[in-house]
Amino acid sequence: MTLTERDRQLDILTHRLNDLLRADDPSATSAPVTVVTGPVGTGKTSLLQAFARRCAEAGVSYLGASASRSERTVPLEIVRQLVRRAPLTDPTRDRLGRLLDRGALDWSETHDDEALAPLTAAIGGELMAIAAQGPLVVAVDDVHHADAPSLRCLAYLARRVTGLAVLIVLTEAHRTRPWHPTIHAELMQPARAHRVRLPLLSPDGTYRLLADRLGVPVARRVTDEAHRISGGNPLLLHALADDHLTGGPGDRPVAGESFREAVLSCLYRCEHLVLKAARVLAVTGGPGDSPLVPPLLDLPGGLDVRAVDASTSAGLVTAAGLRHPAVVRAVLDSMTVEEHGRLQRATACLLHDDGAPPARIAPHLLKTDELDETWMVQVLLDAGEQALTDGDADAARQYLRRANRDTTDDCQRARIRSALARAEWRLDPQAAVPHLLGVATAVRAGHLSSRQAAGPIQYLLWHGQTDRARELVRHLEERADRHDPQSATDLIVMRSWLTTLYPGTPVDGPAARPAGRDPLTLARVKGQLRGVALLGAVLERGETSAVEDADHVLATLRLDDETSIWNAVCAVIALIYADRLDLAGEWCERLDQGATGRHRTPRALLAALAAAVAGRRGDLVRARELAEVALSRLSPKGWGVMIGMPLAVRLRALTGLQEWDEAAACLRTPVPPALFETPFGLHYLHARGLHALATGNPEVALADFQLCGQLMTSWRLDLSSLVPWRTEAARALRHMGRRQQAEKLVREDLDRLRPDQVRLRGAALRVLATVEEGNDRIGHLRSAVRLLRQSGDRVELAHALTDLGHAYQQAGDLRQARDVSRRAREVADECGIPVLRPTSRAHRNGATDPGDEAVVLLTGLNDTESRVATLAAQGHTNREIAEKMFLTVSAIEQRLTRIYRKLDVASRSELAARLRLDR
């Protein structure tokens, strides 16, 4: 092992060696024993090896021995190692061997120190004879593991070598208590022993060691974290370096297999008390002075856990417990399943007896074999419900799944499954479905209150099981306490969510109970339905104050329960319908940052809302990306009826981007039938209709738009801010040549719109312009452009500008046409949508304007060249083509020359024939 920050200690030993060579100086031999102390793994053996090389260079005899935990009961093992290395004659070696054999036998049979004193003196005398031959160093590594007879012989030697050229060097690890206290005190008494201490490495020493192993650039990146993990223990640092070399480059040290083995090596080389304490601390996760530690250690008399510290544990144990999570993992991995389970159970019992909160006991109960005491399941249930309140659905799911597995009480199981459904829903709504049937049975059996059943009933609505949800609500109402304000609050809120998500569902139930009219109950209901109230205010009245209220509500919400999640969703939707897209987008980002990363359901909803915001802003590329993110966070079945929201946004974005294959695949995504009983189904129908219209199926599109109108009328939600079905139906009718019906519908929509609904009014005016002639058409389009600029809907603005440019062209104002068309292309580029064509305008007889011809796209020609070729093949002159495309005649002539060359044709007639073949 590399000697880092050990130069001073090696210099001290070298100085002691120099004193040994000056045997004529009495002061040089005043302390014949040198003890090198330090935690396990700090390099004591490496230091001793370096000193042995110094002795060889100086010509001094070196007798070394190494003690071991497994040989501490073998009498005279250390002395045998020393004698084996001594330069003895054969007769002397044989005589000394017989003496050691007799000594080992005698010490095995008796432990009477007085009776064995002559034998100790005889062996010690032989060692003195060896020492008298010349300068000698006697070194024993890990002397704390040495057998007692050898230590007595070394003590005999240490007492008598004063004045001789003999140096005894011992290395020992820090201990929680002295080993062989009497011999220890005799061998290492201060008068004859000099101590050299090896500390753990400093941060600078850690850097130098890692730079030597990994290179300077890597060491600079990983030193700080490596020092925190290892505490400066060289053995652990070398293990981290090995793991880094094995695992590849990185900016952080990786505690892998080498580190785990090094941690266990340190613990097994320490005293057994240290190993036991490390295991207890790994299980409890607390500091070493925790009141849990002594009972779990079950220490015999004379042992004190306070002696386990950084020095006695190789730096692995600190005042706060085990040094690093990597150390905790290594210790836990070394334990058997039985031992781990026993400690976890004992810890849970101690915590329960001390009155600890369930959240602290539950992690230990998870790792026990069985929950055979009644309080254990209840603790897991309480901890799971608390974790849900704190927003940690992952921990709640673990606690509740274990409790559900071991409980035998029906009422308790009902509560567990209700809470478990809540936890599963936040992580994956589909995973909550298996629990809903059990919850429904428990509600009918009277095992759950309205508060405990509220969440599962909402999940039934999420998955489209409206009949079952209504049945459970009726059952709760029938057996609820007529004068309980809490029950009244829960039931009113459940009915409100039912009618909000399914506006066409009949609300058949008993009249409001007395408690439901209580001021406290009404206040609670208002607090839990803030999002619904805001959404209704924006949809029906467009109140500007509602936008301010939405901002206030969102600022006070945390997405830690279902009520808050639904209120946040409704408040953001209210901002979207109010066309406050900047504020809605900002809140989507803020709420997503505050949402717990493990809770996929709320984050999926927020991604879908952010996609809707991006779509209305005209950023179709981002809208598509966000919708795909939302859809990836939950499975199609997991989305339930809510899938209509992200699926509609994605379908609209793909349609606008003219990505037809992906849009068609989007339409093949299965949706539940109950979707079309919800407002989200309206958005899906709207998007599906727009796709049908864009792909040349106006009849199919009209059917979807009219279905939207029928549903909204039957729900008494015929609000253009929800879905402008009249304007869209008028668009489809105009494509079908039914101008009068289209004009009637779009004017009806304009009459219903409020002045503040500028985006909807702008879109309606654009549709109205397609059924108007002359100056009226230009006036409508100019108003549409102005309103759409104000609303921020850039896609609709690009289309309106395109139509306006075409209208100017037909009116003969080519300068305005060029300017407006150039701006249309710029806006289209900003939105990422393909080059726009003017909206084809149907005449009274249903025929389309001949100026709005379809462009044949030809292989080898770009977009512009394809349009020039199409117009030329239709018989337009170069000047007519130039006016239509806002180019010069010369530019058209140049393009036609290139087109003829690319297509290998010589005339317009040949070009027309070529286009017919390609078509």
Side-chain angles (χ1 to χ4, degrees):
M1 183 179 292
T2 305
L3 288 178
T4 304
E5 289 191 336
R6 300 296 184 248
D7 293 341
R8 186 177 65 83
Q9 289 81 0
L10 184 58
D11 289 343
I12 292 174
L13 292 179
T14 304
H15 180 70
R16 302 289 293 155
L17 178 64
N18 295 332
D19 291 344
L20 180 67
L21 297 175
R22 291 184 287 111
D24 55 339
D25 183 1
S27 64
T29 56
S30 59
V33 179
T34 298
V35 184
V36 179
T37 63
V40 169
T42 50
K44 298 184 293 295
T45 300
S46 297
L47 179 66
L48 201 59
Q49 293 170 351
F51 179 60
R53 290 192 290 270
R54 295 277 177 97
C55 292
E57 294 169 358
V60 175
S61 298
Y62 180 90
L63 302 183
S66 179
S68 168
R69 185 197 300 271
S70 61
E71 297 175 340
R72 62 171 57 178
T73 59
V74 180
L76 297 174
E77 173 60 26
I78 297 301
V79 175
R80 286 184 187 276
Q81 293 184 41
L82 295 174
V83 170
R84 194 176 299 123
R85 292 172 173 80
L88 302 175
T89 63
D90 291 341
T92 302
R93 190 178 300 278
D94 292 341
R95 184 184 73 254
L96 190 51
R98 290 191 296 272
L99 180 61
L100 292 177
D101 291 341
R102 181 167 62 85
L105 182 62
D106 290 348
W107 256 296
S108 299
E109 295 176 350
T110 181
H111 297 286
D112 186 351
D113 292 339
E114 292 185 3
L116 295 173
L119 187 57
T120 302
I123 297 173
E126 294 291 343
L127 294 177
M128 285 291 296
I130 297 172
Q133 296 177 6
L136 176 67
V137 172
V138 177
V140 180
D141 195 16
D142 288 339
V143 72
H144 48 279
H145 290 315
D147 60 281
S150 294
L151 292 176
R152 290 192 177 280
C153 294
L154 287 174
Y156 180 93
L157 179 65
R159 289 194 301 270
R160 290 166 174 78
V161 296
T162 302
L164 296 178
V166 177
L167 176 62
I168 300 174
V169 180
L170 311 174
T171 71
E172 68 166 348
H174 292 302
R175 311 284 292 171
T176 59
R177 60 175 180 169
W179 42 272
H180 304 304
T182 303
I183 309 176
H184 182 273
E186 183 179 357
L187 179 59
M188 300 183 184
Q189 58 179 281
R192 67 167 70 100
H194 181 84
R195 289 190 175 271
V196 178
R197 291 177 172 81
L198 291 185
L200 297 168
L201 298 183
S202 66
D204 182 63
T206 299
Y207 166 75
R208 284 192 282 148
L209 185 151
L210 293 176
D212 183 64
R213 289 292 311 277
L214 305 176
V216 172
V218 175
R220 286 174 178 166
R221 296 197 301 268
V222 305
T223 290
D224 292 341
E225 182 64 17
H227 190 266
R228 280 192 291 271
I229 296 175
S230 66
N233 186 305
L235 180 62
L236 300 181
L237 285 170
H238 279 285
L240 286 174
D242 292 339
D243 285 330
H244 191 88
L245 291 172
T246 302
D251 292 336
R252 295 175 62 85
V254 177
E257 185 63 22
S258 296
F259 181 79
R260 188 186 72 85
E261 292 177 354
V263 168
L264 298 182
S265 173
C266 289
L267 290 175
Y268 285 125
R269 288 164 60 187
C270 294
E271 293 173 277
H272 191 61
L273 173 61
V274 175
L275 178 60
K276 288 182 64 176
R279 287 174 173 171
V280 169
L281 293 174
V283 169
T284 62
D289 59 358
S290 168
L292 294 174
V293 175
L296 292 173
L297 284 175
D298 192 20
L299 297 177
L303 292 180
D304 190 349
V305 71
R306 290 176 295 181
V308 179
D309 56 16
S311 63
T312 58
S313 67
L316 297 174
V317 178
T318 67
L322 293 181
R323 171 169 294 281
H324 193 271
V327 177
V328 174
R329 290 193 297 271
V331 174
L332 291 176
D333 289 345
S334 71
M335 300 171 65
T336 64
V337 175
E338 293 76 10
E339 184 178 19
H340 191 198
R342 179 186 61 78
L343 274 177
Q344 294 285 7
R345 178 187 174 85
T347 303
C349 292
L350 286 172
L351 289 170
H352 178 261
D353 293 341
D354 289 343
R360 191 176 172 199
I361 305 173
H364 301 290
L365 290 177
L366 284 178
K367 300 177 179 67
T368 58
D369 292 336
E370 55 181 340
L371 307 178
D372 53 359
E373 297 190 36
T374 56
W375 60 267
M376 292 181 172
V377 172
Q378 186 61 44
V379 163
L380 285 171
L381 172 57
D382 294 341
E385 291 179 334
Q386 183 60 47
L388 280 174
T389 301
D390 296 339
D392 191 352
D394 192 56
R397 180 172 63 174
Q398 294 183 56
Y399 300 152
L400 295 167
R401 280 182 175 179
R402 180 61 195 276
N404 187 52
R405 192 183 77 186
D406 286 52
T407 186
T408 57
D409 181 81
D410 290 340
C411 290
Q412 193 176 56
R413 184 181 299 278
R415 279 189 60 193
I416 292 170
R417 298 201 73 171
S418 173
L420 185 55
R422 293 170 57 198
E424 298 282 14
W425 180 84
R426 295 188 194 182
L427 299 169
D428 181 6
Q430 184 62 22
V433 172
H435 304 290
L436 298 181
L437 181 59
V439 171
T441 303
V443 170
R444 296 189 195 98
H447 295 325
L448 290 177
S449 66
S450 57
R451 171 56 54 88
Q452 294 160 345
I457 288 175
Q458 287 180 335
Y459 311 146
L460 290 171
L461 297 177
W462 175 284
H463 288 290
Q465 301 184 33
T466 54
D467 292 339
R468 182 171 291 173
R470 290 169 57 204
E471 176 198 349
L472 295 182
V473 172
R474 286 197 303 270
H475 186 85
L476 289 170
E477 287 177 332
E478 289 169 1
R479 66 180 183 84
D481 184 350
R482 296 180 60 85
H483 301 284
D484 179 17
Q486 185 60 61
S487 296
T489 300
D490 295 335
L491 292 169
I492 294 172
V493 170
M494 278 188 278
R495 281 199 171 276
S496 178
W497 285 117
L498 174 61
T499 55
T500 300
L501 192 55
Y502 294 89
T505 301
V507 182
D508 50 345
R513 299 179 180 276
R517 296 188 291 269
D518 176 71
L520 176 59
T521 300
L522 294 176
R524 288 176 175 173
V525 168
K526 184 177 179 181
Q528 294 188 40
L529 295 177
R530 291 179 292 173
V532 174
L534 287 168
L535 183 55
V538 170
L539 280 174
E540 298 177 14
R541 299 183 297 277
E543 296 180 356
T544 55
S545 61
V547 175
E548 299 176 1
D549 292 340
D551 198 39
H552 174 72
V553 168
L554 289 167
T556 58
L557 285 177
R558 291 179 56 222
L559 303 185
D560 52 6
D561 59 53
E562 287 70 22
T563 300
S564 296
I565 293 170
W566 287 112
N567 276 310
V569 169
C570 287
V572 173
I573 292 176
L575 291 174
I576 293 174
Y577 285 155
D579 283 331
R580 290 300 307 272
L581 302 180
D582 52 345
L583 198 56
E586 178 185 339
W587 272 113
C588 286
E589 292 181 7
R590 291 172 63 178
L591 291 171
D592 186 62
Q593 291 171 359
T596 306
R598 295 188 294 268
H599 295 186
R600 291 189 295 168
T601 302
R603 297 197 66 207
L605 288 170
L606 291 171
L609 292 173
V613 171
R616 294 202 175 205
R617 282 175 168 170
D619 192 346
L620 297 185
V621 174
R622 178 156 177 77
R624 179 191 60 192
E625 292 173 351
L626 287 171
E628 290 170 353
V629 168
L631 290 167
S632 69
R633 286 178 175 167
L634 299 176
S635 66
K637 287 187 176 180
W639 270 102
V641 298
M642 302 293 287
I643 196 172
M645 178 166 49
L647 204 56
V649 174
R650 184 166 185 262
L651 180 56
R652 287 193 64 176
L654 291 171
T655 301
L657 295 170
Q658 297 184 15
E659 297 179 6
W660 308 119
D661 292 340
E662 289 191 53
C666 190
L667 283 171
R668 290 193 293 270
T669 302
V671 296
L675 168 65
F676 302 102
E677 301 173 23
T678 72
F680 304 108
L682 299 176
H683 293 293
Y684 180 76
L685 288 171
H686 183 202
R688 193 172 71 180
L690 291 177
H691 177 266
L693 194 60
T695 53
N697 294 294
E699 295 84 359
V700 175
L702 180 61
D704 277 340
F705 299 144
Q706 288 178 334
L707 179 56
C708 281
Q710 293 169 11
L711 291 172
M712 294 165 66
T713 302
S714 66
W715 297 344
R716 298 181 181 178
L717 284 176
D718 190 4
L719 307 167
S720 298
S721 51
L722 190 58
V723 170
W725 70 269
R726 289 179 178 83
T727 295
E728 302 299 359
R731 199 192 307 266
L733 288 167
R734 187 257 309 159
H735 277 275
M736 297 165 62
R738 295 157 64 178
R739 189 194 65 80
Q740 291 182 345
Q741 292 173 278
E743 183 178 357
K744 179 181 177 182
L745 273 179
V746 74
R747 288 191 181 278
E748 183 180 346
D749 213 6
L750 284 167
D751 291 339
R752 296 169 62 90
L753 290 173
R754 298 187 304 269
D756 61 312
Q757 294 176 306
V758 292
R759 182 180 60 83
L760 297 173
R761 185 172 292 276
L765 286 172
R766 178 183 164 236
V767 175
L768 180 61
T770 63
V771 295
E772 292 286 355
E773 299 289 345
N775 293 331
D776 288 341
R777 182 185 181 202
I778 292 177
H780 292 322
L781 287 172
R782 292 180 63 179
S783 298
V785 167
R786 175 176 53 81
L787 293 172
L788 291 170
R789 277 178 177 154
Q790 183 179 343
S791 72
D793 189 338
R794 293 184 296 164
V795 170
E796 193 68 25
L797 174 62
H799 285 289
L801 285 169
T802 300
D803 289 350
L804 180 58
H806 186 55
Y808 277 131
Q809 178 190 358
Q810 289 186 330
D813 191 344
L814 298 184
R815 184 182 61 80
Q816 286 276 30
R818 293 191 189 94
D819 292 343
V820 173
S821 297
R822 186 181 302 110
R823 178 57 182 155
R825 289 193 294 272
E826 291 173 356
V827 176
D829 290 341
E830 292 172 3
C831 300
I833 58 179
V835 177
L836 300 176
R837 302 292 182 215
T839 303
S840 61
R841 183 167 56 88
H843 286 278
R844 298 181 187 275
N845 61 3
T848 58
D849 189 331
D852 296 328
E853 67 289 323
V855 176
V856 179
L857 299 178
L858 298 175
T859 303
L861 302 185
N862 60 33
D863 233 14
T864 302
E865 290 171 345
S866 293
R867 190 173 183 213
V868 171
T870 300
L871 293 171
Q874 291 174 343
H876 294 284
T877 65
N878 289 354
R879 182 171 298 280
E880 288 173 342
I881 297 173
E883 290 177 354
K884 285 178 175 294
M885 299 188 65
F886 311 116
L887 297 172
T888 63
V889 174
S890 174
I892 297 300
E893 292 172 349
Q894 294 173 12
R895 281 173 170 78
L896 276 173
T897 301
R898 287 197 297 269
I899 291 168
Y900 287 172
R901 184 172 64 250
K902 287 181 179 181
L903 300 182
D904 193 21
V905 297
S907 65
R908 293 180 182 238
S909 58
E910 291 183 17
L911 179 62
R914 176 66 180 273
L915 261 63
R916 281 195 294 273
L917 290 174
D918 285 339
R919 187 185 298 273

